[in-house]
Amino acid sequence: MGEPLLDPEGQPGLTPEVLCARYSDRVYRFAAMVSKNAHDAEDLAQTALERAIRARSRFDHRRGDVEGWLWRIVANAAGDARRGARRRRLMERLLARQAGLVAHQGPPETADEVLLAAVRRLPHRQRAAIALRYGADLDLRAVGATLGVSVAGAGMMIRRALDRLRTELTHKEMQP
Amino acid sequence: MNDIEMRLRTMDLRPPRDLRARALARAATVRARPRWRLASIVLAGVLAILVVGYSLIALATAPRAAAMGDGGYGVGEGCWFVRDGSGLHFHVGGWYRGLPALCTSERDSTPSTSR
C-alpha cells in the first residue's frame, strides 16, 4: 500500500470525486483526439478515469507526481483501447450489416470537426503526442515521460504531426 | 504559437455530462472481479496439483524395461514410463477407463475415447 494520494499541491485527500472533477475534462479532450470516433472517446475517457480511481491506493508520491501517474494510466488505457478498437469496429460493421443498418458518419462540417478528423488520421504515436500536448495540456517533458521518449523526441514527434496537419488542412482548404 | 496549435488548444471538446457519474459508478462496481480471478487461480492450482501428482506417481512406479513378469509391465505393456540402462523413458502406454494407465494391475490395454 502506497502513501495517501496527494494532489499536485501536496495536499492529501484526492478522492474519486475530486479526481474526476479535476481531470475529467482533460482526460476527455485527450480521449477525443486519440480515438477514432466520439463513441470510442467516451468509452476511453470512462475507462481511464475508472482505472485511475481504482489505482489510487497504488500511487506513491515518492515515485513521481499525480500528473505523471495519471497520464501514464490514461495513455496505457488508450493503448489497450486502440488494440481492441479495430476488432470491435469490424464486429459492429458485421452486426450492422446483418441487421440491415448502414453505419453512416457524416462528413466533418465545422472547422473544429475538420481539424479533429485530421488529428484522428495521424499515425498513433503522433496522435498520442498531440493529444497529450494539446488535449491534456502537458509540457514536452511530461509528454516524453508518458510516451517513454526524450524531451527532444517528444518535440520532434509533435513538430512532425503539426507539419502533417498543416499540409493536410491547407490541401483541404484549397479544394473547392 | 502558430495557428494550428492555437486551434488545437481551443477546440471545442466537451465531455458528456454523465461521464464522471459513469466512471465513478463503474469504479465502485468492479470489486467482484478479484473474487472471479481468485476462483480461476484456485482451479488452475488444483488442476496443476492433480497433473503433477499423477506424473509423480507414474514416474515413481516406472518399472524396468526388462521386467516382464506378473508384477509389472515393460515397453509396450501398458506403462507410460520405463527404465532401462540409459535411464527413464516416456512412451505411449496403456489406458484405464479413458485415462493413461499407471503400472498397476488394473488396466485395459486398448485406447479409449469415452470415459
Side-chain angles (χ1 to χ4, degrees):
Chain A
M1 184 78 81
E3 292 288 314
L5 189 63
L6 304 178
D7 69 8
E9 285 78 43
Q11 299 302 312
L14 191 58
T15 63
E17 290 77 13
V18 173
L19 193 146
C20 280
R22 187 170 293 173
Y23 294 108
S24 62
D25 283 9
R26 285 165 64 200
V27 168
Y28 181 77
R29 283 182 63 83
F30 167 85
M33 289 186 186
V34 292
S35 301
K36 288 291 184 188
N37 56 53
H39 182 260
D40 287 358
E42 280 186 36
D43 275 356
L44 170 57
Q46 184 179 323
T47 303
L49 287 169
E50 176 200 338
R51 285 192 190 181
I53 292 167
R54 281 195 281 126
R56 284 180 321 127
S57 61
R58 294 197 297 274
F59 172 73
D60 184 352
H61 72 279
R62 289 167 298 195
R63 296 171 58 192
D65 60 5
V66 175
E67 289 269 327
W69 166 82
L70 174 74
W71 291 108
R72 269 193 298 280
I73 291 174
V74 176
N76 285 338
D80 293 345
R82 185 178 58 82
R83 283 184 283 277
R86 179 177 291 185
R87 196 167 49 244
R88 197 173 62 251
R89 276 198 298 275
L90 191 67
M91 183 65 77
E92 283 170 359
R93 272 203 295 272
L94 192 68
L95 290 172
R97 196 179 302 162
Q98 282 183 348
L101 302 170
V102 179
H104 178 72
Q105 198 169 1
E109 290 174 353
T110 67
D112 276 357
E113 286 173 353
V114 171
L115 178 57
L116 186 59
V119 169
R120 286 173 172 171
R121 282 192 294 272
L122 289 171
H124 75 90
R125 293 280 287 175
Q126 289 184 9
R127 198 163 69 233
I130 287 286
L132 287 168
R133 183 80 177 97
Y134 301 106
D137 201 23
L138 301 185
D139 59 21
L140 283 182
R141 185 194 57 79
V143 172
T146 305
L147 295 178
V149 298
S150 65
V151 175
M156 176 77 77
M157 222 183 280
I158 288 169
R159 264 198 308 281
R160 284 184 180 160
L162 290 174
D163 287 346
R164 192 187 275 245
L165 287 175
R166 200 170 290 116
T167 305
E168 186 170 336
L169 293 177
T170 307
H171 181 71
K172 259 198 189 330
E173 283 162 9
M174 286 173 66
Q175 284 180 337
Chain B
M1 190 186 298
N2 63 41
D3 57 329
I4 293 280
E5 287 180 279
M6 179 63 81
R7 285 175 61 186
L8 284 167
R9 281 191 201 285
T10 57
M11 207 189 293
D12 183 22
L13 294 171
R14 273 169 294 186
R17 286 183 183 180
D18 61 346
L19 176 64
R20 294 177 196 177
R22 278 191 283 147
L24 287 167
R26 261 182 59 173
T29 57
V30 291
R31 296 295 173 213
R33 196 176 292 174
R35 198 178 300 166
W36 174 84
R37 199 177 293 167
L38 182 68
S40 37
I41 289 170
V42 168
L43 183 64
V46 168
L47 286 173
I49 288 169
L50 286 174
V51 169
V52 169
Y54 197 88
S55 303
L56 284 176
I57 292 171
L59 286 168
T61 56
R64 294 196 172 278
M68 298 285 286
D70 294 338
Y73 308 107
V75 174
E77 294 291 316
C79 297
W80 289 74
F81 294 94
V82 292
R83 293 178 203 280
D84 62 15
S86 58
L88 197 64
H89 299 282
F90 171 82
H91 70 96
V92 177
W95 303 86
Y96 178 67
R97 294 183 180 174
L99 293 171
L102 298 178
C103 284
T104 67
S105 57
E106 289 183 318
R107 64 163 187 150
D108 57 58
S109 58
T110 52
S112 169
T113 52
S114 61
R115 298 181 62 175

